[in-house]
Amino acid sequence: MKLASLSTPGGLDNLSITDAPDPGEPGPGQIRVRIHASSLNFHDYGVVTGVIPTANGRIPMADGAGVVEAVGEGVQEFNAGDHVVSTFFPHWLDGPAPIDNFSTTPGDGVDGYAREVVVGPAHGFTHAPANLNHAESATITTAGLTAWRALVVDGGLKAGDTVLTLGTGGVSIYAVQLAKMMGARVISTSSSDAKLERLKTLGADEVINYRSTPDWGKAVQELTHGRGADHVIEVGGPGTLPQSIEAVSIGGHISLIGVLTGRAGDVPTARLMAKQARLQGLIVGSRAHQQAMVRAIEANGLKPVIDRQFPLAEIADAFRYEASGAHVGKICLTI
């Protein structure tokens, strides 16, 4: 079978496509899956560029969607022919988060889905949404579930709430779609007027160019008549957090998801305290969270936004395109 692997110390030039032996038939509790698609995430980019160290020869990509070819003894949830999608934390099935690292995350601590066939534990997958194709399904593992957990699981999103999203990456676009699906008002930011227009077509009610309006936290307050945003999808980190705290409502919820502007920095703690807001870090979600999201996607007919697709052989070019920042939504690999 074909697969992509990464030679240490990483870097896109150290990604190679090779042939490997077929993994064979599934054992007890396992399933064999023919992978048809994956999708790129900022975390994957960190791994393949060497920013996040991993083992030599690692197969990258946390997201994988495909078709079950065979099931092992004792597997009752899946049958051959089922469409499935991977989970980010294969051993976090339900309940509170039991892990604070990526040691079990495919494409980082263990081999991922940049390959044609995988044999692994059945609990490392869920059924894919019935209304999505493989590429669309591959977007829910990391980006989709992160937005779902931030808004629905942790945030308790309800109709009439105001959600603030930052930028046009996969998590942020999913947050726009999920918020509108749940009946919320959405305010979105970007540095590109063209991308702001695209955000409007995806459902954003108001948009702010953060380059021409650097005090965008105040602009959110003005757009909400001084109330602020009930939920903030904070993907920037220390460089944007002060403005997010300014933008959030009193008693609101900020989901700290990304570190696009760095891993450490000053936090205006006095302002956060005065806002009495909840600043909550999170990393994706559990298998049960993903199953709930799948049901919601099916019930509402949500269709993920895919900007562009690349064949597996062009995985390095796909990551170069991601690094350019030209995309809106998800970038996928076809396998």
Side-chain angles (χ1 to χ4, degrees), residues 6 13 27 59 64 66 93 95 100 112 127 131 147 151 161 174 176 195 199 227 234 243 247-248 278:
L6 179 69
D13 292 336
I59 302 171
L93 306 185
D100 64 354
H127 286 282
N131 62 312
L151 291 173
D161 284 355
Y174 251 116
V176 172
K195 288 184 177 181
L199 284 162
R227 173 180 171 80
E234 173 51 76
Q243 288 295 319
V248 76
R278 179 160 51 108

Side-chain angles (χ1 to χ4, degrees), residues 35-187:
I35 302 297
H36 287 282
S38 183
S39 76
L40 279 63
N41 299 287
F42 184 70
H43 182 87
D44 299 308
Y45 182 76
V47 173
V48 298
T49 56
V51 174
I52 300 174
T54 191
N56 188 48
R58 175 68 72 224
I59 302 171
M61 308 307 293
D63 302 354
V67 179
V68 176
E69 292 190 327
V71 301
E73 181 183 353
V75 175
Q76 298 182 343
E77 185 175 356
F78 301 110
N79 295 295
D82 285 351
H83 289 203
V84 295
V85 59
S86 64
T87 59
F88 190 86
F89 290 116
H91 305 290
W92 179 15
L93 306 185
D94 200 356
I99 188 169
D100 64 354
N101 59 66
F102 303 108
S103 61
T104 62
T105 297
D108 187 341
V110 297
D111 283 335
Y113 296 102
R115 48 179 158 169
E116 292 180 322
V117 180
V118 63
V119 172
H123 59 69
F125 295 84
T126 69
H127 286 282
N131 62 312
L132 302 186
N133 60 36
H134 294 305
E136 292 166 337
S137 293
T139 70
I140 76 172
T141 294
T142 303
L145 189 56
T146 298
W148 172 265
R149 181 182 168 198
L151 291 173
V152 179
V153 179
D154 294 346
L157 178 69
K158 60 185 184 297
D161 284 355
T162 296
V163 174
L164 172 64
T165 68
L166 311 183
T168 55
V171 173
S172 297
I173 294 297
Y174 251 116
V176 172
Q177 293 183 284
L178 291 171
K180 296 306 295 182
M181 185 183 82
M182 302 287 286
R185 176 191 183 191
V186 175
I187 301 173

Side-chain angles (χ1 to χ4, degrees), residues 1-3 17-21 116:
M1 67 169 180
K2 297 288 186 183
L3 58 79
I17 305 297
T18 59
D19 288 303
E116 292 180 322

Side-chain angles (χ1 to χ4, degrees), residues 248-253 269-279:
V248 76
S249 64
I250 297 172
H253 177 230
T269 51
R271 187 59 175 152
L272 179 64
M273 182 176 64
K275 282 292 187 79
Q276 302 171 71
R278 179 160 51 108
L279 176 61

